[in-house]
């Protein structure tokens, strides 16, 4: 502890050593562990060179001294972070420059009473925290309260059912693939087995039982996608279960997770935009999630933080006023999709349908042996196109954008329905695009890009050009003549 009044000095937790060793783990330490297992089982170890042992010892010693050299000083106006051994680094971060503080604890952290802390400002690289270190658990409370966390926050918990609905509606097979495949591959390498081959053989065995109804390859693909969806659902459920949000005067604190707990504390003023989003399944259940984009928050999940996992749309809009200080209901005239452009909205999915039908006919004629498989995937594609038509109709009736002190936009993006609230001064780029077909109708496509590390965007199509341009010029003080050609 420092002698200076008002400051507290902390060392890194010894567990941080494993973080320093992580880049070298599979290159140096895993072969040593493998040799140890061989020696225990067979009484001898082969394939281990003396220089590898020496190199591993040097790296471990370096990591230990680096851990011993780390210091975190918590002062009255900010943090001072000192680290390094050969290359010494000292940085001061003022509290008013902070955007977020993250705290993560996995099962090992619970065992060793440690926690990983990530400190972010609006500077730094995308996808990487500005400062990341591991300290004792009791230090994290000191860090959070020093940065402005209030003891008088109103805490709200969300039921496991709401979290399960959110996990089921936001999970996908693609996400599950990114989660499951690396785990399977790494586990197989450690065990010396090709686990993916074993799993595929089991899946093929199961799919053969349904061969009389659907082609076996379809069964295999279906089971694989369902398995990946299940992996994504389980990951999302465990990551968000026990979700709790605390709302203070100037800060929002969000915590979630079961085996691995994740806390994030951010200033309301650091919020760049608020997003109300509905996946197709959430739309069927009349549920939505609310996320915020935070300047500088980008360690490993992009720069979005979920603040409301599963509520109705009207309830989500009502919650925004209390959770987000500077994001209020947008005022001003809303510019909906041009009412003469329904045909244009329907044209693109109509072309897709023609292309799918043509492709089906050609494939059936060229490969008659795969007729059932071709028809199966054509039916699936038609189902997707039906939803595409629904989105086109939704965008026609409900797509809108308005520019005022707070910019508001609602439109679909990919398969999801999205609403964005963003302060006008926090927009990064506004693009008005006019295709040849837009000029006779005096319409344009308006694309807004949020000022954030992830640069999220939303495009509202077929908006009245003159009126939206006048609104933009009025909000930002631009002469309309600048846009005249």
């Amino acid at each position: 502890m420092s002698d200076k009044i008002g400051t507290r000095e902390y060392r890194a937790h010894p567990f941080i050593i494993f973080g320093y060793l992580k880049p070298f783990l599979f290159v140096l330490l895993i072969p040593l562990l493998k040799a140890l297992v061989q020696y225990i089982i067979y009484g001898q170890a082969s394939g281990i060179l003396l220089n590898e042992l020496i190199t591993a010892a040097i790296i471990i010693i370096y990591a230990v001294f680096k851990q011993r050299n780390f210091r975190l000083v918590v002062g009255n106006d900010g943090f001072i972070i000192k680290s390094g051994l050969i290359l010494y680094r000292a940085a001061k971060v003022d509290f008013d420059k902070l955007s977020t503080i993250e705290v993560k604890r996995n099962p090992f952290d619970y065992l060793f009473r440690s926690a990983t802390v990530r400190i972010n400002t609006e500077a730094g690289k995308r996808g990487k925290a500005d400062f990341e270190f591991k300290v004792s658990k009791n230090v994290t409370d000191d860090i959070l309260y020093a940065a402005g966390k209030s003891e008088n926050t109103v805490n709200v918990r969300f039921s496991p059912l709401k979290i399960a609905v959110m996990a089921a509606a936001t999970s996908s097979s693609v996400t599950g693939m990114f989660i499951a495949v690396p785990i399977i591959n790494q586990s197989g390498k450690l065990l010396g087995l090709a686990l993916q081959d074993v799993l595929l053989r089991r899946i093929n065995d199961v799919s053969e039982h349904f061969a009389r109804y659907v082609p076996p390859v379809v069964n295999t693909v279906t089971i694989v996608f369902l398995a990946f969806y299940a992996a994504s659902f389980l990951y999302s459920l465990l990551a968000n279960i026990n979700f709790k949000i605390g709302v203070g005067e100037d800060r929002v604190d969000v915590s979630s997770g079961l085996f691995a707990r994740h806390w994030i504390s951010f200033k309301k003023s650091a919020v760049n935009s608020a997003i109300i989003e509905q996946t197709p399944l959430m739309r069927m259940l009349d549920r939505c999630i609310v996320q915020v984009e935070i300047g500088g928050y980008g360690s490993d999940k992009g720069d979005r933080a979920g603040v409301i996992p599963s509520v109705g749309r009207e309830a989500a809009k009502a919650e925004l006023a209390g959770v987000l200080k500077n994001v209020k209901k947008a005022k001003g005239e809303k510019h909906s999709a041009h009412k003469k452009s329904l045909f244009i909205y329907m044209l693109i999915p109509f072309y897709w349908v023609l292309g799918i039908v043509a492709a089906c006919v050609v494939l059936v004629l060229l490969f008659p042996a795969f007729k059932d498989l071709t028809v199966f995937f054509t039916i699936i594609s038609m189902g997707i196109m039906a939803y595409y038509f629904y989105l086109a109709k939704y965008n026609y009736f409900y797509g809108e954008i308005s520019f005022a002190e707070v910019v508001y936009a609602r439109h679909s993006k990919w398969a999801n329905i999205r609403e964005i609230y963003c302060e006008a001064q926090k927009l990064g780029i506004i693009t008005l695009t006019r295709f040849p077909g837009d000029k006779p109708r005096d319409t344009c496509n308006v694309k807004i890009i949020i000022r954030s590390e992830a640069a999220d965007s939303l495009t509202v199509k077929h908006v009245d050009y003159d009126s939206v341009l006048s609104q933009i010029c009025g909000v930002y003080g631009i002469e309309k003549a600048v846009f005249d050609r």
Side-chain angles (χ1 to χ4, degrees), residues 189-245:
K189 289 179 180 179
L190 291 176
L191 297 174
L193 299 173
L195 290 182
Q196 58 270 30
D197 294 338
V198 176
L199 292 174
L200 286 175
R201 283 198 299 271
R202 295 297 301 168
I203 290 172
N204 286 328
D205 292 341
V206 174
S207 67
E208 288 178 359
H209 294 291
F210 303 94
R212 68 167 64 181
Y213 307 108
V214 185
V217 65
V218 174
N219 286 318
T220 301
V221 172
T222 303
I223 294 172
V224 168
F225 272 81
L226 287 176
F228 283 144
Y229 174 83
S232 176
F233 169 78
L234 183 61
Y235 176 85
S236 180
L237 181 64
L238 294 178
N240 292 282
I241 201 73
N242 199 18
F243 187 97
K244 183 175 69 174
I245 179 172

Side-chain angles (χ1 to χ4, degrees), residues 66-327:
K66 191 174 181 180
Q67 180 268 332
R68 299 292 297 173
N69 206 40
F70 178 90
R71 295 291 186 279
L72 170 67
V73 180
V74 181
N76 296 321
D77 56 353
F79 300 118
I80 298 177
I81 303 168
K82 304 175 183 179
S83 61
L85 187 60
I86 299 175
L87 299 176
Y88 184 74
R89 180 188 184 191
K92 185 176 186 298
V93 183
D94 293 336
F95 290 143
D96 59 358
K97 298 296 191 299
L98 288 175
S99 59
T100 62
I101 297 177
E102 290 179 82
V103 179
K104 302 188 76 171
R105 300 188 75 196
N106 57 39
F108 290 103
D109 289 318
Y110 282 99
L111 181 63
F112 293 98
R113 297 188 56 79
S114 62
T116 298
V117 178
R118 296 187 177 110
I119 294 177
N120 289 291
T121 67
E122 292 199 25
K125 296 181 180 179
R126 176 184 173 184
K128 185 178 181 181
D130 297 338
F131 302 95
E132 181 175 342
F133 48 86
K134 193 174 287 289
V135 292
S136 299
K137 172 59 178 70
N138 61 327
V139 178
T140 59
D141 292 335
D142 197 10
I143 293 174
L144 292 172
Y145 285 112
K149 181 179 179 181
S150 174
E151 296 183 356
N152 299 319
T153 57
V154 179
N155 294 316
V156 179
R157 291 182 180 273
F158 286 80
S159 67
L161 178 60
K162 288 186 176 182
I163 301 300
V165 170
M166 184 273 294
T170 57
S171 299
S172 68
S173 297
V174 176
T175 304
M177 191 179 303
F178 285 112
I179 294 171
V181 170
I183 295 175
I184 293 172
N185 288 337
Q186 291 297 336
S187 301
K189 289 179 180 179
L190 291 176
L191 297 174
L193 299 173
L195 290 182
Q196 58 270 30
D197 294 338
V198 176
L199 292 174
L200 286 175
R201 283 198 299 271
R202 295 297 301 168
I203 290 172
N204 286 328
D205 292 341
V206 174
S207 67
E208 288 178 359
H209 294 291
F210 303 94
R212 68 167 64 181
Y213 307 108
V214 185
V217 65
V218 174
N219 286 318
T220 301
V221 172
T222 303
I223 294 172
V224 168
F225 272 81
L226 287 176
F228 283 144
Y229 174 83
S232 176
F233 169 78
L234 183 61
Y235 176 85
S236 180
L237 181 64
L238 294 178
N240 292 282
I241 201 73
N242 199 18
F243 187 97
K244 183 175 69 174
I245 179 172
V247 181
E249 182 179 352
D250 298 312
R251 303 189 70 86
V252 177
D253 304 301
V254 179
S255 63
S256 61
L258 183 61
F259 299 111
R261 292 287 291 168
H262 180 209
W263 291 265
I264 174 173
S265 177
F266 60 89
K267 296 189 299 183
K268 294 180 180 180
S269 59
V271 173
N272 285 327
S273 65
I275 300 170
I276 301 176
E277 194 161 26
Q278 288 181 306
T279 64
L281 183 56
M282 276 193 157
R283 187 135 187 90
M284 293 174 59
L285 299 173
D286 193 26
R287 301 282 91 184
C288 64
I289 56 176
V290 177
Q291 296 176 312
V292 294
E293 291 192 323
I294 308 169
Y297 172 47
S299 55
D300 61 350
K301 291 187 177 181
D303 63 349
R304 281 196 192 182
V307 294
I308 304 174
S310 178
V311 291
R313 177 173 173 269
E314 294 304 319
K317 293 172 65 176
E319 291 287 345
L320 286 178
V323 174
L324 305 172
K325 183 177 181 180
N326 294 324
V327 178

